Amino acid sequence: MVQSFYGSVLEEIDEIAKRINLDSGIHKMIRHPERELTVGIPIERDNGDIEVFTGYRVQHSSARGPCKGGIRYHPDTNLDEIRALATLMSFKCAVANVPYGGAKGGITCDPTKLSKKELQKLTKRYAAMILPIIGPRADIPAPDVNTNEETMGWFMDAVSMYEGSTVLDIVTGKPLDLGGSLGRREATGRGVMLTTIEILKKLKKDVKKTRIAVQGFGNVGSIGAELLMEKGCKIVAVSDVSGGLYNPDGLNIPDLIRYVYGGDKIQLLKNYPTEKNESFISNEELLKLDVDVLIPAALENQIHSGNADEIKADVVVEGANGPITKKADRILNEKRIQIVPDILANSGGVVVSYFEWVQGIQSFFWTIEEVNRNLETIMLKAFQDAWDTAHKEKVSMRDAAFMLALRKIAHAVELRGIFP
Ligand code: GLU
């Protein structure tokens, strides 16, 4: 039987709990999300028909602070996935040491089949329906797969209409003119770049000779690729849902970003007018390329027991959440492939979300230099902690990051005591 995403996350937690001798009661608590809400969201389509979409918000843990995590719009979104992602958020916030617990939300829908007007209605109705459990001190949503600043602006507006006043700090990842933070849009990609450069340094590899393949050309993949190219790495392959592009001499990422995002509608890479050394490859081929670094920055479960054996990269940096299944993780570890885990590598987004929330509360906004400097300090500290723990405990960086996070969450639970 194929293991569910949440099953995979629980297996990791169980292993680490055993290793750190976690109290069995606290272990039980951390295995169970605190609160889950499923909503049926009706909207009137542009043609007058009524359609009902299913949406979720899962709050895994509020032990360390308000719950925090994005909202995704995807046809495959389901409760198991959102539960897994909410759990990973608690661990991600603990590794980075930002004072949040974890949550995640999503709507099962295909956003490419909805007009902008329909997406706005869907977002606002979803916001209204999960309003009873969210709030600036309770649970603060943010963008994730197929949602962005515009979505967060709509979300914020819906909540504000209910409250009777503008509630900027209900979401992060907002547009700059609505209380957003400089650098938030680029933050996850920037964090992927920072952790990639850091692991290359630790492994004593020459950044300028590094060949990288990036799966996924959304917010994380495209910006991560661009920033790594600026650092001198060669991005030899990128992909989106339609497939990938390969150029052994390195792709021109700014050109590709202009092609995909420059017009009114997002363009697919499969329609890109290729030049001499460029060729089309499938997503599966991209994962198996003989590169120095592979960055899966699309969806979960991309590297599984069926293809893990064929991964040839020396290093995998997880831009996406959960791109490697538990079974595949074991295979890659046996092959001595160095993995920088998601809860570390892609935490840049939630770290700058935290900065946005802090700036909003103080109504005092930082320069881009301040944002990027603070992001780098937090991410490099988290990276070093995980690296040191991995070496001290002789475990993978994933296990090390989970150990650090689980200890922090468990300690918070212990300090608070159980209510009532
Ligand atoms: N969706 C992002 C993540 O998976 C960001 C979450 C946030 O900023 O709250 O980490």
Side-chain angles (χ1 to χ4, degrees), residues 68-70 89 92 104 140 142-144 172 184 321 346 349-350 353:
K68 187 85 190 82
M89 284 308 302
K92 196 184 293 185
K104 201 78 167 200
I140 308 125
D144 197 78
T172 57
R184 173 62 186 86
N321 291 309
N346 73 30
V350 75
S353 272

Side-chain angles (χ1 to χ4, degrees), residues 233-249:
C233 300
K234 213 175 251 182
I235 313 299
V236 296
V238 297
S239 67
D240 63 14
V241 277
S242 72
L245 280 174
Y246 174 65
N247 183 347
D249 302 327

Side-chain angles (χ1 to χ4, degrees), residues 106-172:
I107 302 176
T108 315
C109 67
D110 183 350
T112 62
K113 299 213 167 74
L114 294 166
S115 70
K116 199 161 240 188
K117 213 166 125 197
E118 291 168 334
L119 277 170
Q120 182 174 163
K121 282 187 194 170
L122 187 67
T123 304
K124 291 193 169 180
R125 181 71 186 233
Y126 169 70
M129 294 183 89
I130 66 165
L131 188 56
I133 66 165
I134 61 169
R137 307 246 162 234
D139 178 0
I140 308 125
D144 197 78
V145 174
N146 292 329
T147 56
N148 55 22
E149 300 170 355
E150 188 177 43
T151 327
M152 295 306 112
W154 295 333
F155 192 103
M156 190 279 295
D157 179 70
V159 173
S160 301
M161 289 303 111
Y162 271 92
E163 295 294 325
S165 61
T166 298
V167 192
L168 289 177
D169 45 2
I170 184 67
V171 276
T172 57

Side-chain angles (χ1 to χ4, degrees), residues 46-296:
D46 292 344
N47 66 5
D49 288 353
I50 293 197
E51 201 160 331
V52 183
F53 296 87
T54 305
Y56 310 95
R57 186 71 184 170
V58 174
Q59 296 167 347
H60 169 258
S61 169
S62 59
R64 297 183 62 259
C67 297
K68 187 85 190 82
I71 293 167
R72 65 171 54 182
Y73 292 175
H74 196 274
D76 298 333
T77 283
N78 59 69
L79 186 55
D80 177 90
E81 177 200 42
I82 299 297
R83 212 178 255 156
L85 294 166
T87 311
L88 288 177
M89 284 308 302
S90 299
F91 283 78
K92 196 184 293 185
C93 294
V95 174
N97 219 5
V98 292
Y100 288 137
K104 201 78 167 200
I107 302 176
T108 315
C109 67
D110 183 350
T112 62
K113 299 213 167 74
L114 294 166
S115 70
K116 199 161 240 188
K117 213 166 125 197
E118 291 168 334
L119 277 170
Q120 182 174 163
K121 282 187 194 170
L122 187 67
T123 304
K124 291 193 169 180
R125 181 71 186 233
Y126 169 70
M129 294 183 89
I130 66 165
L131 188 56
I133 66 165
I134 61 169
R137 307 246 162 234
D139 178 0
I140 308 125
D144 197 78
V145 174
N146 292 329
T147 56
N148 55 22
E149 300 170 355
E150 188 177 43
T151 327
M152 295 306 112
W154 295 333
F155 192 103
M156 190 279 295
D157 179 70
V159 173
S160 301
M161 289 303 111
Y162 271 92
E163 295 294 325
S165 61
T166 298
V167 192
L168 289 177
D169 45 2
I170 184 67
V171 276
T172 57
K174 296 180 294 293
L176 278 180
D177 287 337
L178 282 179
S181 171
L182 288 168
R184 173 62 186 86
R185 199 176 61 82
E186 301 82 10
T188 315
R190 178 168 290 277
V192 167
M193 177 275 284
L194 290 169
T195 48
T196 304
I197 298 295
E198 208 51 27
I199 194 70
L200 291 173
K201 277 194 207 155
K202 295 279 185 217
L203 302 176
K204 303 200 172 17
K205 286 182 187 283
D206 185 350
V207 171
K208 304 254 183 296
K209 288 194 183 126
T210 300
R211 300 167 71 252
I212 302 182
V214 183
Q215 187 204 29
F217 208 63
N219 172 273
V220 185
S222 63
I223 295 172
E226 186 177 33
L227 294 175
L228 281 161
M229 188 176 157
E230 281 171 18
K231 291 281 170 195
C233 300
K234 213 175 251 182
I235 313 299
V236 296
V238 297
S239 67
D240 63 14
V241 277
S242 72
L245 280 174
Y246 174 65
N247 183 347
D249 302 327
L251 294 159
N252 184 333
I253 302 298
D255 257 12
L256 284 172
I257 292 179
R258 257 189 304 278
Y259 174 77
V260 173
Y261 294 104
D264 290 342
K265 272 194 90 179
I266 293 177
Q267 296 299 318
L268 293 173
L269 289 171
K270 74 165 184 217
N271 300 324
Y272 184 70
T274 50
E275 285 178 14
K276 44 186 184 324
N277 286 338
E278 293 164 350
S279 53
F280 291 109
I281 54 171
S282 69
N283 262 293
E284 199 58 27
E285 284 168 326
L286 179 141
L287 294 175
K288 297 172 185 169
L289 284 175
D290 191 359
V291 287
D292 301 297
V293 181
L294 171 64
I295 305 182

